[in-house]
């Protein structure tokens, strides 16, 4: 009768290594199968995704300036145009738009500041201002159709108007609904000024002209 030779220590180590590798590979294959089944379940709707897809893709009008519009404080009357300094930025592809609008605002008595181009991706006009400029912003917004009011953290009373590709013209003077004797009306769906968190000042647009005054 042949006596079986006991495996050497080297062979024992090799067997244990192979056994461990088989266990690791088995676990990896099992995990891949589970991930694949989970992905198929999400794709077919059988399994609900743990991620809210609504926040994955920005909407076409989603930009750095999206925020609640602040209300104008009660009994706030329009600001005299000559006391409002406006920076005009062109976010469209129409050359010279900011310069054209600056001349039109200047003709109405507004003080124009920086005139430049902007790379902001917006669908409608933006009126950007700080907490001290809400009255001036509402006064300017009455001149600019489809303008959204955006509060930032600037400390002064300057106001920016950012023009989108949808801009056509200022509101005709006869149609501007402002009276020095009447309080201004807040925009629909606004939030009290104290409850709006100001945005950090946005990167400045590329200036093309600097007008003093």
């Amino acid at each position: 009768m042949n006596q079986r030779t006991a495996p050497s220590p080297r062979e024992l180590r090799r067997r244990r290594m192979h056994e461990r590798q088989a266990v690791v590979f088995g676990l990896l294959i099992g995990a891949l199968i589970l991930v694949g089944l989970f992905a198929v379940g999400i794709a077919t709707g059988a399994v609900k995704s743990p991620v809210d897809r609504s926040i994955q893709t920005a909407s076409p009008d989603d930009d750095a300036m999206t925020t609640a519009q602040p209300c104008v404080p009660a009994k706030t009357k329009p600001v005299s145009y000559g006391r409002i300094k406006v920076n005009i930025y062109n976010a469209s592809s129409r050359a010279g738009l900011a310069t054209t609008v600056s001349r039109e605002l200047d003709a109405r008595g507004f003080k124009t500041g920086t005139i430049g181009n902007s790379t902001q991706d917006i669908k409608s006009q933006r009126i950007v201002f700080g907490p001290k400029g809400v009255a001036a912003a509402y006064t300017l917004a009455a001149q600019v159709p489809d303008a959204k009011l955006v509060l930032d953290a600037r400390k002064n009373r300057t106001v920016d108007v950012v023009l989108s590709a949808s801009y056509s013209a200022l509101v005709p003077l006869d149609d501007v609904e402002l009276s020095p004797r009447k309080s201004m009306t807040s925009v629909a769906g606004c939030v009290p000024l104290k409850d709006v968190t100001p945005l950090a000042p946005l990167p400045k647009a590329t200036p093309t002209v600097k007008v003093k005054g």
Side-chain angles (χ1 to χ4, degrees), residues 189-204:
C190 68
V191 175
L193 183 63
K194 64 181 179 61
D195 296 330
V196 179
T197 301
L199 296 174
L202 295 168
K204 290 302 180 182

Side-chain angles (χ1 to χ4, degrees), residues 34-187:
L34 288 176
V35 170
L37 292 174
F38 186 70
V40 171
I42 291 176
T44 59
V47 178
K48 184 177 180 181
S49 173
V51 179
D52 182 0
R53 296 189 179 202
S54 65
I55 64 173
Q56 299 299 303
T57 304
S59 65
D61 196 32
D62 192 13
D63 55 50
M65 305 176 82
T66 301
T67 184
Q69 297 190 91
C71 303
V72 64
K75 299 181 180 180
T76 299
K77 293 182 173 60
V79 179
S80 173
Y81 295 171
R83 294 173 55 198
I84 302 175
K85 185 174 181 178
V86 186
N87 302 312
I88 304 101
Y89 299 114
N90 179 11
S92 77
S93 59
R94 292 154 57 187
L97 180 59
T99 300
T100 298
V101 173
S102 72
R103 291 170 180 165
E104 294 172 348
L105 289 173
D106 185 70
R108 296 190 181 193
F110 289 89
K111 295 171 62 179
T112 53
T114 300
I115 301 168
N117 298 317
S118 172
T119 58
Q120 293 160 9
D121 184 15
I122 56 176
K123 281 192 172 181
S124 60
Q125 285 49 259
R126 298 290 193 261
I127 305 294
V128 191
F129 57 99
K132 295 180 179 180
V134 60
Y138 265 84
T139 303
L140 178 62
Q143 323 286 323
V144 183
D146 302 321
K148 180 177 179 181
L149 296 157
V150 179
L151 183 72
D152 72 5
R154 71 186 64 191
K155 303 298 183 182
N156 56 38
R157 289 181 169 82
T158 61
V159 181
D160 298 348
V161 57
V162 188
L163 305 166
S164 73
S166 68
Y167 176 83
S168 58
L170 294 177
V171 175
L173 272 173
D174 292 341
D175 296 334
V176 174
E177 298 180 352
L178 292 176
S179 170
R181 295 181 296 276
K182 293 183 179 180
S183 300
M184 291 185 288
T185 303
S186 295
V187 297

